[in-house]
Amino acid sequence: IEQPTFPKITEMCVKMIRRVNDEEGIKKLVNETFQKLWFTPTLHHDKEAMTRKILNITDVVAACRDTGYDWFEQLLQNLLKSEEDASYKPVKKACTQLVDNLVEHILKYEESLSDSDNKGVNSGRLVACITTLFLFSKIRPQLMVKHAMTMQPYLTTKCSTQNDFMVICNVAKILELVVPLMEHPSETFLATIEEDLMKLIIKYGMTVVQHCVSCLGAVVNKVTQNYKFVWACFNRYYGALSKLKSQHQEDPNSTILTANKPALLRSLFTVGALCRHFDFDQEDFKGNSKVNIKDKVLELLMYFTKHSDEEVQTKAIIGLGFAFIQHPSLMFEQEVKTLYNSILSDKNCSVNLKIQVLKNLQTYLQEEDTRMQQADRDWKKVAKQEDLKEMGDISSGMSSSIMQLYLKQVLEAFFHNQSSVRHFALNVIALTLNQGLIHPVQCVPYLIAMGTDPEPSMRNKADQQLVEIDKKYAGFIHV
């Protein structure tokens, strides 16, 4: 604050902000420091101070690109919550100023990119600005509503570098949160977004497809109800998969299949991603047809999990994981239980397949947790008309039953010789315990055994889980 041009400011901020979840005294100090530094309103005429603030925040966001942004979300939530009941809300005002000025900066950077020799630096700054806007959108999407139309053209960014892909993914994530909050958006604007997203889904790789399908889910399900548009896309990839399955059944060694492998991989992933965000068994999609789409998709994806090519197997398992988020009950199907448990327990099975099954379980648990938190927030907005606990219990009851199916095999993965397998197994168990889906007595011996793991990060995480269990169950471990 006193020396805004000091060169070590970014490094100091990064170190301080990571302490945002420390003990109360430190947490309070971190909140107060960043409220003064970033979240105090700036005088309108002081453009220099605002620019300095923007550069500082985006430098810190850029510096944390590889370690994650949980700290920013936590800090923003802490500060906004502290003034919820106050009549004057300086943090909210500062956030509005920051978002508006970040958008201004993005437009300036865009201009400078066209005639700059140093595009790498500028495009890096552009990514940091858009990432920061996404972080604000996650906590307060209302701040970005008036800027949604400014963001939309960035979906047409020509992708030639990693930064270009990051711009597209973050813009898709912003629009996913913001478009459903817009009042009476123009039909042209919505149609343009749908078309831009569809072009990206057809053209680019997994990360872009995932974020664009998710954004399309929010736009179509919550705003446009343009189900025919999505149904046509689904049928394009589902039809391609059906055709490739028939060809494979006729001649597994056909050269046509080898030539069509990229199309097969894309179709497996995209069908799964679409099933994650759209329930194609709704009448809005399939009309009066009696065909059960989710069962057909399951059958098709399961077929390719038995393929001889591991890459094809992996994409089929990824597709299954997506479909299970929309339809968790499919995880009770005997063929799915056999597939997951055999991959996890077979010592000769590929490490990549084991990791993918564990990732699927992890993503399912994370999505369920997010759903429950959203249900809780929605519930608080309305009066006590329903028994929310009962509603939550139904959902957590299914999650608990699902985890019991695979628990033994996941715990056995703690002893796999590959640290990456142990890492994902521990993540799954941590999520399962934190959501209270299993009794800790089932996994305490395994967590204690992991206390001797050669990887320090794994030992620390296992110890952390044991401490949490001990707190929650008052000395349970010592007994």
Side-chain angles (χ1 to χ4, degrees):
I1 294 168
E2 299 296 328
Q3 299 181 47
T5 56
F6 184 61
K8 295 274 187 185
I9 281 183
T10 302
E11 194 184 325
M12 289 159 65
C13 285
V14 168
K15 285 182 176 169
M16 278 192 293
I17 209 160
R18 285 185 183 149
R19 308 288 299 274
V20 75
N21 284 323
D22 259 18
E23 61 196 62
E24 279 307 313
I26 293 172
K27 185 175 168 179
K28 186 169 181 281
L29 197 59
V30 170
N31 288 342
E32 285 170 359
T33 302
F34 284 98
Q35 180 157 4
K36 281 179 192 167
L37 198 60
W38 292 349
F39 297 105
T40 299
T42 307
L43 296 170
H44 284 289
H45 62 269
D46 197 347
K47 290 283 180 193
E48 192 185 330
M50 179 51 78
T51 301
R52 220 168 31 234
K53 205 185 271 192
I54 294 286
L55 292 175
N56 182 217
I57 293 174
T58 51
D59 279 342
V60 173
V61 167
C64 295
R65 180 169 164 171
D66 298 326
T67 52
Y69 305 111
D70 291 352
W71 51 266
F72 188 91
E73 293 168 37
Q74 193 58 59
L75 177 69
L76 200 49
Q77 277 172 332
N78 291 349
L79 293 173
L80 287 165
K81 194 173 182 181
S82 68
E83 63 176 29
E84 258 176 5
D85 302 321
S87 53
Y88 175 56
K89 301 181 189 292
V91 175
K92 188 181 173 188
K93 186 179 177 183
C95 287
T96 305
Q97 285 183 341
L98 287 166
V99 165
D100 293 351
N101 279 276
L102 275 163
V103 173
E104 259 182 58
H105 271 71
I106 285 169
L107 296 172
K108 281 180 193 165
Y109 285 129
E110 192 65 14
E111 283 171 28
S112 71
L113 279 177
S114 55
D115 50 22
S116 168
D117 297 329
N118 202 0
K119 289 192 178 186
V121 174
N122 279 327
S123 65
R125 175 72 67 187
L126 179 67
V127 171
C129 285
I130 290 178
T131 305
T132 308
L133 284 175
F134 164 61
L135 296 172
F136 275 111
S137 303
K138 266 184 102 172
I139 307 302
R140 280 290 184 277
Q142 298 85 351
L143 295 170
M144 277 297 291
V145 167
K146 66 179 177 180
H147 301 297
M149 293 181 80
T150 308
M151 289 288 108
Q152 175 269 319
Y154 289 92
L155 288 176
T156 59
T157 302
K158 284 191 176 69
C159 288
S160 54
T161 67
Q162 186 61 30
N163 280 343
D164 297 332
F165 286 110
M166 287 188 74
V167 165
I168 281 180
C169 291
N170 278 310
V171 169
K173 290 192 282 187
I174 290 168
L175 293 172
E176 177 182 343
L177 294 162
V178 171
V179 172
L181 302 178
M182 294 173 75
E183 284 186 29
H184 315 299
S186 81
E187 285 186 23
T188 313
F189 167 68
L190 294 170
T192 306
I193 287 183
E194 288 178 339
E195 283 161 23
D196 289 344
L197 291 169
M198 194 60 76
K199 284 174 191 167
L200 292 165
I201 290 164
I202 291 164
K203 188 173 182 181
Y204 291 115
M206 287 197 300
T207 308
V208 173
V209 170
Q210 216 170 329
H211 291 306
C212 289
V213 170
S214 187
C215 182
L216 191 65
V219 173
V220 172
N221 290 326
K222 296 176 183 177
V223 186
T224 66
Q225 276 84 53
N226 190 359
Y227 299 116
K228 280 183 184 172
F229 184 68
V230 179
W231 183 239
C233 176
F234 171 76
N235 276 305
R236 170 184 180 155
Y237 288 106
Y238 179 84
L241 271 186
S242 297
K243 190 177 173 185
L244 289 163
K245 178 189 171 186
S246 301
Q247 287 173 346
H248 186 262
Q249 284 173 320
E250 283 169 27
D251 179 8
N253 303 314
S254 163
T255 52
I256 298 170
L257 284 171
T258 311
N260 284 330
K261 184 180 167 181
L264 171 58
L265 297 175
R266 175 173 285 279
S267 298
L268 288 167
F269 187 87
T270 310
V271 162
L274 287 163
C275 286
R276 175 178 181 168
H277 296 284
F278 299 97
D279 182 358
F280 292 108
D281 280 309
Q282 286 180 353
E283 202 175 307
D284 296 316
F285 290 106
K286 66 177 187 179
N288 297 323
S289 170
K290 295 285 183 282
V291 176
N292 190 312
I293 303 295
K294 72 173 186 292
D295 290 347
K296 287 282 181 191
V297 168
L298 178 66
E299 184 189 327
L300 205 46
L301 294 173
M302 284 299 298
Y303 177 82
F304 287 103
T305 63
K306 299 171 185 73
H307 199 278
S308 56
D309 186 319
E310 190 185 304
E311 205 179 346
V312 172
Q313 287 179 290
T314 305
K315 283 288 188 294
I317 291 168
I318 290 171
L320 283 172
F322 286 150
F324 296 160
I325 289 167
Q326 178 73 245
H327 303 288
S329 60
L330 292 175
M331 279 190 269
F332 294 111
E333 295 290 327
Q334 188 55 51
E335 58 184 333
V336 175
K337 288 192 283 186
T338 304
L339 174 75
Y340 270 23
N341 284 330
S342 63
I343 288 173
L344 291 173
S345 58
D346 183 355
K347 288 184 173 62
N348 301 316
C349 188
S350 149
V351 166
N352 289 334
L353 295 182
K354 285 182 190 291
I355 287 172
Q356 193 52 59
V357 167
L358 291 167
K359 277 184 179 177
N360 282 5
L361 292 171
Q362 177 180 309
T363 308
Y364 163 68
L365 290 169
Q366 286 167 336
E367 282 289 315
E368 278 303 301
D369 192 41
T370 305
R371 252 183 233 174
M372 290 304 298
Q373 286 178 20
Q374 187 57 50
D376 199 31
R377 282 195 293 273
D378 292 345
W379 174 247
K380 282 171 183 169
K381 287 177 190 172
V382 286
K384 294 178 183 177
Q385 293 160 355
E386 291 178 54
D387 181 357
L388 180 73
K389 184 177 183 301
E390 191 177 300
M391 190 174 81
D393 284 347
I394 293 165
S395 181
S396 62
M398 180 177 281
S399 304
S400 180
S401 303
I402 287 166
M403 285 319 299
Q404 290 295 347
L405 293 176
Y406 306 109
L407 184 64
K408 183 176 181 289
Q409 282 74 16
V410 173
L411 288 168
E412 291 296 336
F414 275 25
F415 304 114
H416 196 275
N417 57 6
Q418 289 279 344
S419 64
S420 49
V421 175
R422 301 198 301 276
H423 167 79
F424 283 106
L426 185 52
N427 281 355
V428 171
I429 293 302
L431 283 163
T432 308
L433 283 168
N434 293 343
Q435 291 177 38
L437 302 178
I438 55 170
H439 195 282
V441 75
Q442 293 174 277
C443 42
V444 163
Y446 293 87
L447 289 167
I448 291 170
M450 196 165 252
T452 60
D453 194 279
E455 299 277 335
S457 62
M458 232 83 81
R459 292 199 298 272
N460 292 340
K461 192 161 185 180
D463 288 345
Q464 197 182 340
Q465 285 302 314
L466 288 167
V467 168
E468 289 299 317
I469 291 167
D470 214 35
K471 270 189 209 164
K472 198 169 177 181
Y473 293 89
F476 168 77
I477 293 165
H478 297 111
V479 174

